[in-house]
Structure formats: structure tokens, C-alpha cells
Amino acid sequence: MKKKIIAAIVAIAASFGLAACGSSSASDDHKYVVGVTSDQQKEIWEYVGKQVAKEGITIDVKLFSGYTEENPALVDGSLDLNSFQHVAFLNNFNAENKADLTYIGYTIISPFGLYSDKIKSYKDLKDGDTIAIPNDVTNGGRALQLLDAIGVIKLKDDAPDSPTTKDIKTYVKKVKIEELQADQIAPALQDVTAATINTNYVTDQLHTTPEKSAIYVDTDHMSKVSGIYKNVIAVRKEDKNKADFKKIVKAYQTDAVAKMIRKTNDIPAW
């Protein structure tokens, strides 16, 4: 009789152990890692994480220092989502890497500005000056569109959405365009006449804002800014319709987050 009781107790304990393991596994199924590239977005995503935690979803925010690692990490499963890039950047990554990453919602459109320690107005640019732009196709393309908008260069009529220097028809002002890695442009500002710098590096590295320091900001002239520069929440294609991700997008696209975004000088894109 005692043996039967002991066996029953062991069986019950085992069943509770299995249930606990099952509960842990279920919890892990609702835990996601998101990659970002700025302190501001890290703060926003930590706020979003608190909101979705109420629905049993856990978000771990990982901060990256540049733009080269996040998409490969999403492809290989190190990340579940990332939130750093616009549509143009994502499309270009997919094309160059034969990947099929996609996006599930818009986040921000970030001002893209021209900065200088040497001149006070973009109208002061002259022949022989050096302008630094990002060396990736999409941010570099946006930089060239900015330079076209202010009359420094003229792009070809058939230039693609993300033009390169090969798509320049005319140098209206005979400047030298120097292509640098995006996160290295702010530190190099003193070495060039002017530079186009992504806003997250302006805030994180120069400790200022486009409103205070830029000599031209493209989002002040939205009719000249393509919609492909809206930032997105990117995921693997097979996860696009994941129920948890729809909840995450809903938690991001709120008035509270929009208010946080405006404090960072970005513009809500949804």
C-alpha cells in the first residue's frame, strides 16, 4: 500500500513538474528581442514593452551602434524584430542579400539634415567644398536628394528612388562628395565643409537636434521627401501575421508613443 501511495505522489509531482516546464516554454514563446540604434528608440521600446507585458508579452531591447548588424541578426534569428530602418534601406538589404525581410508597421520619419561647423547657411556652399554623406545606398540616396533640393547638384530625370553619385547629372556647385559610414560622419564634421547626418547620430554623438543645429532639414519640405524614408518595424516574412506582433504594433502606434517621438524631433509615421 505504501509503495502505491509513494508511486502516486511521484506521479503527481512529475505531472506538476511537466506543467511547470510547459508554462515556462509558453512564456518563452512570447518573449522577443528587438534591435534599435538610438537611445531614444530604446526608451520608446522599453515603454512599449511595459504596455505589452500586460498581455503576457516580453520585449528585450538590444541597442546597436550602427546599421550593419541588425538585419543579419534578424535573418539568423538573433533578433525577432528590429526598428531602425526606413523602407528604402530594407528593400535594398533584401535585394543585395537575397533576403525576404518585411515590415509590419510604420514608426517614425526622421528629419535628415545638413550640418556644418564652417558655414551658417547652405547657400554659402561653393566650388571646392567637401560634403560628407552616408556610404550606404539608401541614406546616401536621401542625402543626394537633399543636395538636389538645395541646388548643389542636379540628379538625372530617371534617377531611382535611392540614387547614387552615378545618378548626378550636373554639379551645380563643384563640390567634392565624400562617402563615409553613417556613424562616422558626425565625428568627421570638423574635417569637411558640411555633412548630411542621420538624426540619431546628431542627438547621440553631437548632443544637439536638427532644429537647433542643421542648416537645412529635409522634413521641413515634406513634398520633396519620398515615403520610402518612413521607418518601420521589420520582421521575418514568416512572422508577418504573428498575433503577438500585431499587439506590439498596436502598442507602438499610440498617442503616448507619438508624444515621445515628437520629443526626439522625429515625426510619427503612421
Side-chain angles (χ1 to χ4, degrees):
M1 184 65 179
K2 289 183 178 180
K3 289 183 179 180
K4 289 182 179 180
I5 293 172
I6 292 170
I9 292 171
V10 171
I12 291 169
S15 69
F16 274 109
L18 288 171
C21 290
S23 175
S24 176
S25 176
S27 176
D28 289 344
D29 286 344
H30 298 278
K31 183 175 181 179
Y32 307 101
V33 183
V34 58
V36 302
T37 56
S38 71
D39 292 330
Q40 292 94 336
Q41 278 296 310
K42 184 174 185 290
E43 180 182 353
I44 287 171
W45 275 96
E46 287 173 345
Y47 170 82
V48 171
K50 291 178 182 178
Q51 306 313 304
V52 296
K54 301 169 187 176
E55 302 190 59
I57 299 170
T58 301
I59 292 179
D60 180 19
V61 186
K62 183 175 181 180
L63 181 63
F64 290 80
S65 61
Y67 294 155
T68 59
E69 298 176 273
E70 296 88 333
N71 281 336
L74 185 55
V75 170
D76 70 22
S78 301
L79 295 178
D80 300 294
L81 316 93
N82 67 41
S83 180
F84 78 99
Q85 66 195 317
H86 44 53
V87 176
F89 190 99
L90 178 62
N91 289 345
N92 185 70
F93 174 84
N94 282 337
E96 289 190 348
N97 296 275
K98 296 181 179 179
D100 60 354
L101 299 180
T102 187
Y103 60 93
I104 55 175
Y106 292 116
T107 55
I108 64 172
I109 182 164
S110 185
F112 192 65
L114 182 70
Y115 300 82
S116 178
D117 286 340
K118 297 180 172 61
I119 58 175
K120 299 297 183 181
S121 168
Y122 67 85
K123 296 178 181 179
D124 296 331
L125 286 165
K126 62 184 186 303
D127 294 354
D129 285 343
T130 299
I131 302 173
I133 69 171
N135 64 1
D136 64 272
V137 174
T138 52
N139 288 300
R142 188 174 179 182
L144 293 175
Q145 290 176 349
L146 183 155
L147 296 180
D148 178 275
I150 63 176
V152 173
I153 62 172
K154 177 65 178 174
L155 292 168
K156 296 175 182 176
D157 293 338
D158 60 351
D161 287 337
S162 295
T164 69
T165 53
K166 294 179 181 178
D167 297 302
I168 297 174
K169 180 180 180 181
T170 308
Y171 283 83
V172 180
K173 295 185 179 180
K174 295 177 175 58
V175 297
K176 177 185 177 183
I177 295 176
E178 186 172 344
E179 297 176 280
L180 301 174
Q181 188 168 308
D183 61 343
Q184 296 302 311
I185 296 179
L189 182 59
Q190 61 185 353
D191 300 321
V192 297
T193 310
T196 54
I197 309 174
N198 294 75
T199 298
N200 60 306
Y201 295 127
V202 172
T203 55
D204 291 351
Q205 297 179 349
L206 297 180
H207 308 294
T208 185
T209 65
E211 182 181 5
K212 292 179 180 178
S213 301
I215 57 177
Y216 182 87
V217 180
D218 66 357
T219 50
D220 289 343
H221 313 270
M222 283 297 294
S223 63
K224 297 183 179 180
V225 182
S226 171
I228 63 173
Y229 295 117
K230 287 184 177 182
N231 280 31
V232 295
I233 302 170
V235 299
R236 290 179 292 279
K237 187 176 181 179
E238 61 267 26
D239 292 334
K240 183 174 183 178
N241 296 313
K242 201 177 186 78
D244 281 355
F245 288 0
K246 292 179 180 180
K247 293 176 183 178
I248 289 170
V249 171
K250 185 177 180 180
Y252 191 105
Q253 295 178 345
T254 61
D255 290 342
V257 171
K259 186 176 180 180
M260 295 176 73
I261 289 170
R262 291 190 182 97
K263 287 181 179 179
T264 69
N265 299 290
D266 291 327
I267 302 167
W270 62 89

